[in-house]
mmCIF file with all atom_site columns, all heavy atoms in Angstrom:
data_model
loop_
_atom_site.group_PDB
_atom_site.id
_atom_site.type_symbol
_atom_site.label_atom_id
_atom_site.label_alt_id
_atom_site.label_comp_id
_atom_site.label_asym_id
_atom_site.label_entity_id
_atom_site.label_seq_id
_atom_site.pdbx_PDB_ins_code
_atom_site.Cartn_x
_atom_site.Cartn_y
_atom_site.Cartn_z
_atom_site.occupancy
_atom_site.B_iso_or_equiv
_atom_site.pdbx_formal_charge
_atom_site.auth_seq_id
_atom_site.auth_comp_id
_atom_site.auth_asym_id
_atom_site.auth_atom_id
_atom_site.pdbx_PDB_model_num
ATOM 1   N N   . ASP Z 1 66 ? -9.815  -17.419 -9.573  1.00 96.00 ? 66 ASP Z N   1
ATOM 2   C CA  . ASP Z 1 66 ? -10.887 -18.374 -9.357  1.00 96.00 ? 66 ASP Z CA  1
ATOM 3   C C   . ASP Z 1 66 ? -10.803 -19.079 -8.047  1.00 96.00 ? 66 ASP Z C   1
ATOM 4   O O   . ASP Z 1 66 ? -11.798 -19.609 -7.575  1.00 96.00 ? 66 ASP Z O   1
ATOM 5   C CB  . ASP Z 1 66 ? -10.996 -19.299 -10.561 1.00 96.00 ? 66 ASP Z CB  1
ATOM 6   C CG  . ASP Z 1 66 ? -11.414 -18.565 -11.806 1.00 96.00 ? 66 ASP Z CG  1
ATOM 7   O OD1 . ASP Z 1 66 ? -12.214 -17.637 -11.653 1.00 96.00 ? 66 ASP Z OD1 1
ATOM 8   O OD2 . ASP Z 1 66 ? -10.935 -18.933 -12.880 1.00 96.00 ? 66 ASP Z OD2 1
ATOM 9   N N   . ILE Z 1 67 ? -9.570  -19.211 -7.503  1.00 97.00 ? 67 ILE Z N   1
ATOM 10  C CA  . ILE Z 1 67 ? -9.524  -20.050 -6.268  1.00 97.00 ? 67 ILE Z CA  1
ATOM 11  C C   . ILE Z 1 67 ? -9.540  -19.164 -4.958  1.00 97.00 ? 67 ILE Z C   1
ATOM 12  O O   . ILE Z 1 67 ? -9.455  -17.957 -5.033  1.00 97.00 ? 67 ILE Z O   1
ATOM 13  C CB  . ILE Z 1 67 ? -8.164  -20.824 -6.357  1.00 97.00 ? 67 ILE Z CB  1
ATOM 14  C CG1 . ILE Z 1 67 ? -6.998  -19.908 -6.383  1.00 97.00 ? 67 ILE Z CG1 1
ATOM 15  C CG2 . ILE Z 1 67 ? -8.170  -21.823 -7.486  1.00 97.00 ? 67 ILE Z CG2 1
ATOM 16  C CD1 . ILE Z 1 67 ? -5.634  -20.592 -6.176  1.00 97.00 ? 67 ILE Z CD1 1
ATOM 17  N N   . ASP Z 1 68 ? -9.595  -19.794 -3.874  1.00 98.00 ? 68 ASP Z N   1
ATOM 18  C CA  . ASP Z 1 68 ? -9.573  -19.165 -2.575  1.00 98.00 ? 68 ASP Z CA  1
ATOM 19  C C   . ASP Z 1 68 ? -8.201  -18.557 -2.293  1.00 98.00 ? 68 ASP Z C   1
ATOM 20  O O   . ASP Z 1 68 ? -7.267  -19.142 -2.654  1.00 98.00 ? 68 ASP Z O   1
ATOM 21  C CB  . ASP Z 1 68 ? -9.951  -20.136 -1.433  1.00 98.00 ? 68 ASP Z CB  1
ATOM 22  C CG  . ASP Z 1 68 ? -11.374 -20.483 -1.514  1.00 98.00 ? 68 ASP Z CG  1
ATOM 23  O OD1 . ASP Z 1 68 ? -12.206 -19.822 -2.134  1.00 98.00 ? 68 ASP Z OD1 1
ATOM 24  O OD2 . ASP Z 1 68 ? -11.731 -21.562 -0.824  1.00 98.00 ? 68 ASP Z OD2 1
ATOM 25  N N   . LEU Z 1 69 ? -8.291  -17.377 -1.621  1.00 98.00 ? 69 LEU Z N   1
ATOM 26  C CA  . LEU Z 1 69 ? -6.974  -16.842 -1.220  1.00 98.00 ? 69 LEU Z CA  1
ATOM 27  C C   . LEU Z 1 69 ? -6.984  -16.548 0.300   1.00 98.00 ? 69 LEU Z C   1
ATOM 28  O O   . LEU Z 1 69 ? -8.048  -16.156 0.824   1.00 98.00 ? 69 LEU Z O   1
ATOM 29  C CB  . LEU Z 1 69 ? -6.711  -15.415 -1.897  1.00 98.00 ? 69 LEU Z CB  1
ATOM 30  C CG  . LEU Z 1 69 ? -6.606  -15.445 -3.407  1.00 98.00 ? 69 LEU Z CG  1
ATOM 31  C CD1 . LEU Z 1 69 ? -6.535  -13.966 -3.898  1.00 98.00 ? 69 LEU Z CD1 1
ATOM 32  C CD2 . LEU Z 1 69 ? -5.376  -16.143 -3.823  1.00 98.00 ? 69 LEU Z CD2 1
ATOM 33  N N   . ASP Z 1 70 ? -5.941  -16.803 0.977   1.00 98.00 ? 70 ASP Z N   1
ATOM 34  C CA  . ASP Z 1 70 ? -5.805  -16.544 2.446   1.00 98.00 ? 70 ASP Z CA  1
ATOM 35  C C   . ASP Z 1 70 ? -5.203  -15.146 2.647   1.00 98.00 ? 70 ASP Z C   1
ATOM 36  O O   . ASP Z 1 70 ? -5.617  -14.374 3.490   1.00 98.00 ? 70 ASP Z O   1
ATOM 37  C CB  . ASP Z 1 70 ? -5.008  -17.607 3.102   1.00 98.00 ? 70 ASP Z CB  1
ATOM 38  C CG  . ASP Z 1 70 ? -5.691  -18.931 2.954   1.00 98.00 ? 70 ASP Z CG  1
ATOM 39  O OD1 . ASP Z 1 70 ? -6.783  -19.203 3.686   1.00 98.00 ? 70 ASP Z OD1 1
ATOM 40  O OD2 . ASP Z 1 70 ? -5.299  -19.785 2.083   1.00 98.00 ? 70 ASP Z OD2 1
ATOM 41  N N   . TYR Z 1 71 ? -4.221  -14.878 1.862   1.00 99.00 ? 71 TYR Z N   1
ATOM 42  C CA  . TYR Z 1 71 ? -3.426  -13.585 2.076   1.00 99.00 ? 71 TYR Z CA  1
ATOM 43  C C   . TYR Z 1 71 ? -3.070  -12.963 0.687   1.00 99.00 ? 71 TYR Z C   1
ATOM 44  O O   . TYR Z 1 71 ? -2.892  -13.614 -0.310  1.00 99.00 ? 71 TYR Z O   1
ATOM 45  C CB  . TYR Z 1 71 ? -1.980  -13.894 2.776   1.00 99.00 ? 71 TYR Z CB  1
ATOM 46  C CG  . TYR Z 1 71 ? -2.213  -14.506 4.109   1.00 99.00 ? 71 TYR Z CG  1
ATOM 47  C CD1 . TYR Z 1 71 ? -1.726  -15.743 4.408   1.00 99.00 ? 71 TYR Z CD1 1
ATOM 48  C CD2 . TYR Z 1 71 ? -2.890  -13.813 5.195   1.00 99.00 ? 71 TYR Z CD2 1
ATOM 49  C CE1 . TYR Z 1 71 ? -1.825  -16.400 5.659   1.00 99.00 ? 71 TYR Z CE1 1
ATOM 50  C CE2 . TYR Z 1 71 ? -2.945  -14.411 6.439   1.00 99.00 ? 71 TYR Z CE2 1
ATOM 51  C CZ  . TYR Z 1 71 ? -2.432  -15.698 6.681   1.00 99.00 ? 71 TYR Z CZ  1
ATOM 52  O OH  . TYR Z 1 71 ? -2.523  -16.193 7.972   1.00 99.00 ? 71 TYR Z OH  1
ATOM 53  N N   . ILE Z 1 72 ? -3.043  -11.620 0.787   1.00 99.00 ? 72 ILE Z N   1
ATOM 54  C CA  . ILE Z 1 72 ? -2.582  -10.893 -0.387  1.00 99.00 ? 72 ILE Z CA  1
ATOM 55  C C   . ILE Z 1 72 ? -1.529  -9.919  -0.005  1.00 99.00 ? 72 ILE Z C   1
ATOM 56  O O   . ILE Z 1 72 ? -1.745  -9.204  1.047   1.00 99.00 ? 72 ILE Z O   1
ATOM 57  C CB  . ILE Z 1 72 ? -3.718  -10.131 -1.086  1.00 99.00 ? 72 ILE Z CB  1
ATOM 58  C CG1 . ILE Z 1 72 ? -4.853  -11.114 -1.476  1.00 99.00 ? 72 ILE Z CG1 1
ATOM 59  C CG2 . ILE Z 1 72 ? -3.267  -9.356  -2.309  1.00 99.00 ? 72 ILE Z CG2 1
ATOM 60  C CD1 . ILE Z 1 72 ? -6.126  -10.381 -2.011  1.00 99.00 ? 72 ILE Z CD1 1
ATOM 61  N N   . LEU Z 1 73 ? -0.486  -9.896  -0.779  1.00 99.00 ? 73 LEU Z N   1
ATOM 62  C CA  . LEU Z 1 73 ? 0.611   -8.906  -0.444  1.00 99.00 ? 73 LEU Z CA  1
ATOM 63  C C   . LEU Z 1 73 ? 0.674   -7.980  -1.732  1.00 99.00 ? 73 LEU Z C   1
ATOM 64  O O   . LEU Z 1 73 ? 1.005   -8.533  -2.695  1.00 99.00 ? 73 LEU Z O   1
ATOM 65  C CB  . LEU Z 1 73 ? 1.982   -9.518  -0.101  1.00 99.00 ? 73 LEU Z CB  1
ATOM 66  C CG  . LEU Z 1 73 ? 2.021   -10.239 1.179   1.00 99.00 ? 73 LEU Z CG  1
ATOM 67  C CD1 . LEU Z 1 73 ? 1.748   -11.701 1.045   1.00 99.00 ? 73 LEU Z CD1 1
ATOM 68  C CD2 . LEU Z 1 73 ? 3.372   -10.015 1.811   1.00 99.00 ? 73 LEU Z CD2 1
ATOM 69  N N   . HIS Z 1 74 ? 0.431   -6.733  -1.483  1.00 99.00 ? 74 HIS Z N   1
ATOM 70  C CA  . HIS Z 1 74 ? 0.408   -5.828  -2.675  1.00 99.00 ? 74 HIS Z CA  1
ATOM 71  C C   . HIS Z 1 74 ? 1.691   -5.072  -2.743  1.00 99.00 ? 74 HIS Z C   1
ATOM 72  O O   . HIS Z 1 74 ? 1.959   -4.089  -2.018  1.00 99.00 ? 74 HIS Z O   1
ATOM 73  C CB  . HIS Z 1 74 ? -0.809  -4.848  -2.582  1.00 99.00 ? 74 HIS Z CB  1
ATOM 74  C CG  . HIS Z 1 74 ? -0.898  -3.940  -3.729  1.00 99.00 ? 74 HIS Z CG  1
ATOM 75  N ND1 . HIS Z 1 74 ? -0.450  -4.161  -4.982  1.00 99.00 ? 74 HIS Z ND1 1
ATOM 76  C CD2 . HIS Z 1 74 ? -1.471  -2.687  -3.811  1.00 99.00 ? 74 HIS Z CD2 1
ATOM 77  C CE1 . HIS Z 1 74 ? -0.631  -3.148  -5.739  1.00 99.00 ? 74 HIS Z CE1 1
ATOM 78  N NE2 . HIS Z 1 74 ? -1.209  -2.206  -5.029  1.00 99.00 ? 74 HIS Z NE2 1
ATOM 79  N N   . PHE Z 1 75 ? 2.566   -5.519  -3.624  1.00 99.00 ? 75 PHE Z N   1
ATOM 80  C CA  . PHE Z 1 75 ? 3.966   -4.965  -3.734  1.00 99.00 ? 75 PHE Z CA  1
ATOM 81  C C   . PHE Z 1 75 ? 4.148   -4.339  -5.103  1.00 99.00 ? 75 PHE Z C   1
ATOM 82  O O   . PHE Z 1 75 ? 5.263   -3.848  -5.425  1.00 99.00 ? 75 PHE Z O   1
ATOM 83  C CB  . PHE Z 1 75 ? 5.034   -5.905  -3.434  1.00 99.00 ? 75 PHE Z CB  1
ATOM 84  C CG  . PHE Z 1 75 ? 5.271   -6.100  -1.976  1.00 99.00 ? 75 PHE Z CG  1
ATOM 85  C CD1 . PHE Z 1 75 ? 4.282   -6.602  -1.045  1.00 99.00 ? 75 PHE Z CD1 1
ATOM 86  C CD2 . PHE Z 1 75 ? 6.503   -5.524  -1.348  1.00 99.00 ? 75 PHE Z CD2 1
ATOM 87  C CE1 . PHE Z 1 75 ? 4.516   -6.557  0.326   1.00 99.00 ? 75 PHE Z CE1 1
ATOM 88  C CE2 . PHE Z 1 75 ? 6.621   -5.511  0.043   1.00 99.00 ? 75 PHE Z CE2 1
ATOM 89  C CZ  . PHE Z 1 75 ? 5.620   -6.058  0.870   1.00 99.00 ? 75 PHE Z CZ  1
ATOM 90  N N   . ALA Z 1 76 ? 3.110   -4.407  -5.991  1.00 98.00 ? 76 ALA Z N   1
ATOM 91  C CA  . ALA Z 1 76 ? 3.309   -3.886  -7.285  1.00 98.00 ? 76 ALA Z CA  1
ATOM 92  C C   . ALA Z 1 76 ? 3.386   -2.389  -7.201  1.00 98.00 ? 76 ALA Z C   1
ATOM 93  O O   . ALA Z 1 76 ? 2.507   -1.745  -6.668  1.00 98.00 ? 76 ALA Z O   1
ATOM 94  C CB  . ALA Z 1 76 ? 2.158   -4.333  -8.248  1.00 98.00 ? 76 ALA Z CB  1
ATOM 95  N N   . SER Z 1 77 ? 4.384   -1.757  -7.757  1.00 98.00 ? 77 SER Z N   1
ATOM 96  C CA  . SER Z 1 77 ? 4.640   -0.362  -7.868  1.00 98.00 ? 77 SER Z CA  1
ATOM 97  C C   . SER Z 1 77 ? 6.020   -0.085  -8.268  1.00 98.00 ? 77 SER Z C   1
ATOM 98  O O   . SER Z 1 77 ? 6.973   -0.626  -7.783  1.00 98.00 ? 77 SER Z O   1
ATOM 99  C CB  . SER Z 1 77 ? 4.343   0.420   -6.606  1.00 98.00 ? 77 SER Z CB  1
ATOM 100 O OG  . SER Z 1 77 ? 4.708   1.746   -6.727  1.00 98.00 ? 77 SER Z OG  1
#
Side-chain angles (χ1 to χ4, degrees):
D66 293 326
I67 60 167
D68 288 345
L69 295 175
D70 298 285
Y71 299 117
I72 301 174
L73 288 96
H74 180 28
F75 276 68
S77 171

